[in-house]
Amino acid sequence: MDKPTVSVDVDEERAIVSHAGGVRDGDLSAGDSIFSKVQRYVGSIGVEKRGIERVPDTVEERTDTSMSKVGTVWLSSNLALACFGIGAIAPSVFGLGFVDSMLAILFFNVLGVLPTSFFSTFGPVFGLRQLVLSRFYFGWYGVKLYAFFNVLTCLGWSTLQIVTGAQLFHAINPNMPGWAGILVIAFLTLLVGGFGYKAVHRYQRWSWIPMFIIYMILLGEFAASGRFNSLLPLESGPVEAGRILSFGSTVFGAATGLCVYAADYTVYQPGSSPRTTVFLWSFAGLLLPLIFVEALGCAVATATVDVDSFAQAWEEGGVGGLIGIVLIPPLGDFGRFCLVLLALGVIANNCPNVYSVSFGMQVLSRQSARVPRIIWTVLGVFAAVGIGIPAYDNFAPWLETFLLTTAYWLAIYEGIALTEHFVFRRGIKGYRPEDYDTPKMLPVGRAALVSFGFGVAGCVLGMTQEWWTGPIGALCGGDLGFELAFGLSAVSYTVLRFFERNKFKR
């Protein structure tokens, strides 16, 4: 791709010099403004200064040359207790057996991780965060709607992680209240995610190892207990189809939940990084832990169907109680130690949420972009704590509702973004990344906003929730919200964007 002509813009309020190729790290703290002084201070203690500014493709700025980190950042994130909980609700909430649950876990996870793996390849090419890249799909103003939803998604995932970790602490020590465990997990997550890109990658590089070992111990102990119920019936007919669709939507929501910040974790990779290699590392790092942990959660939860002690542990302690009843009785204090490590492992899954929430806030307006990234990260953690404490006692329904809602809007995002990329821009060469901060050079966004409305209509028609069942969802007996959302948004955008481009020429 030809290099753009060099131009220089100055943001006087932030004292940042913006070159067409991006903003250099040193320029982020230049000047005497309050913003510059804050940036100099946080930089002096090792905190990443860069927010949504583009990373120039130079040796000095693109310093992340380890391709395996692309995989391990997702590997550690997805060896998560929340993923164990997703598998566990297959038999306990949806009434599925192990075999049909596994088929849904395999298919819907593959479907969900493909967009995230694909968009991860854009970070090295453009040096742009995912939501900033999304301006090329939704326009300067339209992307703000998705930034708002992204903030909600980050906060929702963060809440899920800290609640799950707190449940484990409670399983270890029933005298420890849920709010105390939530505060511990939130504080430790902030210590890692707050320092930024390098700290997140450095932590994720190795944090998956103890988690994997403990999951293998859990697998061994549960297998030895003889409580695995592989004989739960594999049903057929419309009722079974409805259960599979609803559970599949939950699985898809978890798998595709990282799509809106996929490129955030590859922006410091050199522009010459092979896109296929980035895609494969991302795909493996996402898919393998999701399938493993969800399958393990489903297997353990089969015991809740006909073993009273397991059913009681799940009802009273959620994920923590279910894991605790497998590990603590046979292993004693070592089992409790494993639970502590699992609870602390939540940090790895939560880091991307507390890190990327800041970019959603900065994309919302010019004013919010002037607030340093670290401040938005801190406020995001505070918000997750505020949500998590009241959600602690109603975890399983909260998990199902949140993940299904996540699947709906992300399906709309993917339907529009992928259509713009493949149909209208026809690949990487169709972008001018230097235009990322120039509203008049970006799409108008009207087609994307109207298509969002069509996607919402698809959700309403196809969803199956406690608070609403659409006519198509009722007809099928299961949740078809994300499938209809993707299809209607993609088709409508193809038509509307054609007319928008012809009229506005951008």
Side-chain angles (χ1 to χ4, degrees):
M1 186 166 57
D2 296 334
K3 292 184 178 180
T5 56
V6 176
S7 63
V8 178
D9 299 306
V10 179
D11 184 337
E12 294 181 356
E13 293 189 60
R14 297 170 67 192
I16 288 180
V17 180
S18 178
H19 301 265
V23 179
R24 295 188 294 261
D25 184 73
D27 294 333
L28 291 167
S29 56
D32 295 321
S33 66
I34 295 177
F35 174 88
S36 300
K37 293 176 181 178
V38 172
Q39 290 286 65
R40 280 196 293 272
Y41 172 74
V42 298
S44 68
I45 60 175
V47 173
E48 180 189 12
K49 295 180 290 184
R50 188 180 303 278
I52 59 174
E53 301 84 8
R54 187 184 178 201
V55 184
D57 190 9
T58 63
V59 175
E60 293 78 15
E61 302 290 343
R62 303 287 189 94
T63 56
D64 186 7
T65 58
S66 174
M67 194 60 64
S68 62
K69 287 182 180 179
V70 177
T72 55
V73 70
W74 304 129
L75 172 62
S76 293
S77 295
N78 287 316
L79 283 175
L81 289 170
C83 295
F84 185 95
I86 292 166
I89 64 177
S92 62
V93 175
F94 292 100
L96 297 172
F98 183 73
V99 175
D100 41 357
S101 297
M102 278 304 305
L103 293 174
I105 286 171
L106 288 169
F107 176 77
F108 286 99
N109 270 315
V110 170
L111 197 64
V113 303
L114 282 172
T116 305
S117 304
F118 177 70
F119 284 120
S120 291
T121 68
F122 285 59
V125 177
F126 298 135
L128 294 173
R129 310 288 187 177
Q130 185 66 39
L131 276 174
V132 180
L133 171 69
S134 301
R135 289 172 176 169
F136 291 98
Y137 312 135
F138 307 103
W140 179 266
Y141 297 102
V143 78
K144 298 179 189 299
L145 174 65
Y146 292 88
F148 173 74
F149 281 115
N150 179 62
V151 170
L152 295 183
T153 299
C154 289
L155 293 178
W157 272 112
S158 183
T159 302
L160 286 177
Q161 303 315 316
I162 61 178
V163 167
T164 307
Q167 285 182 340
L168 272 183
F169 282 137
H170 182 75
I172 301 164
N173 179 10
N175 294 322
M176 184 176 187
W179 62 264
I182 287 173
L183 290 176
V184 170
I185 296 294
F187 175 74
L188 294 176
T189 301
L190 181 59
L191 285 182
V192 179
F195 276 86
Y197 183 96
K198 290 182 179 179
V200 170
H201 272 284
R202 191 177 297 117
Y203 184 81
Q204 307 290 71
R205 180 78 162 169
W206 309 108
S207 61
W208 65 272
I209 296 176
M211 292 288 288
F212 179 72
I213 292 173
I214 295 170
Y215 279 131
M216 293 303 295
I217 294 172
L218 176 65
L219 174 61
E221 289 297 330
F222 181 67
S225 72
R227 302 295 192 183
F228 174 52
N229 188 345
S230 61
L231 300 179
L232 293 177
L234 180 61
E235 304 285 354
S236 60
V239 174
E240 173 71 3
R243 292 172 177 174
I244 289 290
L245 287 172
S246 296
F247 176 61
S249 294
T250 305
V251 172
F252 176 82
T256 208
L258 297 168
C259 175
V260 280
Y261 31 98
D264 296 354
Y265 301 92
T266 55
V267 292
Y268 288 98
Q269 289 275 340
S272 59
S273 301
R275 294 188 67 208
T276 301
T277 306
V278 174
F279 175 87
L280 291 175
W281 272 108
S282 299
F283 187 77
L286 288 161
L287 185 65
L288 296 180
L290 282 170
I291 291 176
F292 171 65
V293 178
E294 288 174 8
L296 181 58
C298 179
V300 175
T302 60
T304 65
V305 177
D306 54 12
V307 181
D308 291 339
S309 58
F310 276 72
Q312 182 179 359
W314 169 253
E315 183 178 352
E316 295 179 356
V319 172
L322 198 57
I323 295 176
I325 199 169
V326 177
L327 293 179
I328 294 176
L331 300 179
D333 289 340
F334 180 71
R336 293 183 177 85
F337 175 71
C338 290
L339 286 179
V340 171
L341 291 182
L342 280 177
L344 295 177
V346 168
I347 298 168
N349 186 259
N350 213 14
C351 281
N353 303 311
V354 302
Y355 177 61
S356 289
V357 69
S358 58
F359 307 131
M361 292 302 302
Q362 289 187 326
V363 166
L364 285 174
S365 70
R366 293 284 192 187
Q367 291 72 29
S368 62
R370 298 187 183 109
V371 179
R373 179 198 62 82
I374 180 62
I375 294 178
W376 287 126
T377 297
V378 172
L379 292 177
V381 172
F382 286 169
V385 170
I387 299 170
I389 291 176
Y392 179 84
D393 293 322
N394 198 30
F395 179 69
W398 203 90
L399 172 65
E400 179 190 351
T401 301
F402 168 71
L403 289 177
L404 284 171
T405 306
T406 296
Y408 299 148
W409 86 265
L410 287 175
I412 299 173
Y413 174 92
E414 291 163 0
I416 294 172
L418 293 173
T419 301
E420 173 70 21
H421 177 79
F422 287 108
V423 176
F424 296 101
R425 296 191 182 271
R426 300 181 183 275
I428 293 296
K429 293 183 179 180
Y431 295 80
R432 285 177 53 86
E434 63 272 18
D435 294 338
Y436 80 95
D437 207 32
T438 308
K440 65 180 181 180
M441 300 300 292
L442 297 167
V444 176
R446 295 178 185 176
L449 286 175
V450 176
S451 298
F452 179 84
F454 277 97
V456 171
C459 296
V460 173
L461 291 172
M463 70 167 59
T464 302
Q465 295 277 345
E466 290 184 3
W467 41 273
W468 172 258
T469 298
I472 296 179
L475 182 65
C476 298
D479 198 293
L480 277 172
F482 89 82
E483 294 92 339
L484 289 174
F486 181 92
L488 288 180
S489 61
V491 171
S492 62
Y493 184 74
T494 302
V495 176
L496 295 170
R497 179 69 170 135
F498 173 79
F499 291 105
E500 183 182 80
R501 277 173 61 104
N502 284 342
K503 180 175 181 179
F504 296 102
K505 308 302 179 185
R506 57 187 172 105

